[in-house]
Amino acid sequence: MVVSIGIGSALWLTRARADAPHLSESDPAAVAVGYKEDAATVDKAKYPTFAAGQTCGNCSLYQGKESDAWGGCTLFNGKLVAGKGWCASWTNM
């Protein structure tokens, strides 16, 4: 019985996560770290730490597979970030 409750809870969390809202670039938390849905649009003059190839999908804070279009991020609890996005908090895996 405990196992079925645990599995049910895990399924519910997975569904809830898939239904989570996408983080908007205009969200104050996103603005604070320069979040962009597409890393190709990062202002390299404003964020000189950005390097080609860095994306949310290959950041250690990303809570999805690198190939996922959207996934969770430990910085933006409850909102999904674009796998091809980027922010100044990017850290190597």
Side-chain angles (χ1 to χ4, degrees):
M1 184 155 135
V2 172
V3 172
S4 63
I5 292 170
I7 291 171
S9 296
L11 269 155
W12 179 81
L13 288 172
T14 301
R15 283 190 203 118
R17 183 184 195 95
D19 294 339
H22 293 178
L23 179 67
S24 167
E25 290 182 5
S26 62
D27 182 295
V31 171
V33 292
Y35 170 74
K36 294 292 182 186
E37 282 187 18
D38 185 350
T41 65
V42 172
D43 181 347
K44 293 163 189 74
K46 188 172 182 180
Y47 298 101
T49 60
F50 172 78
Q54 293 178 347
T55 65
C56 292
N58 61 29
C59 174
S60 66
L61 304 176
Y62 192 64
Q63 298 175 319
K65 292 183 275 181
E66 188 171 348
S67 60
D68 291 344
W70 295 89
C73 175
T74 59
L75 294 179
F76 309 109
N77 192 23
K79 295 184 180 175
L80 302 178
V81 297
K84 65 179 186 175
W86 183 88
C87 85
S89 294
W90 184 91
T91 56
N92 197 13
M93 289 187 160

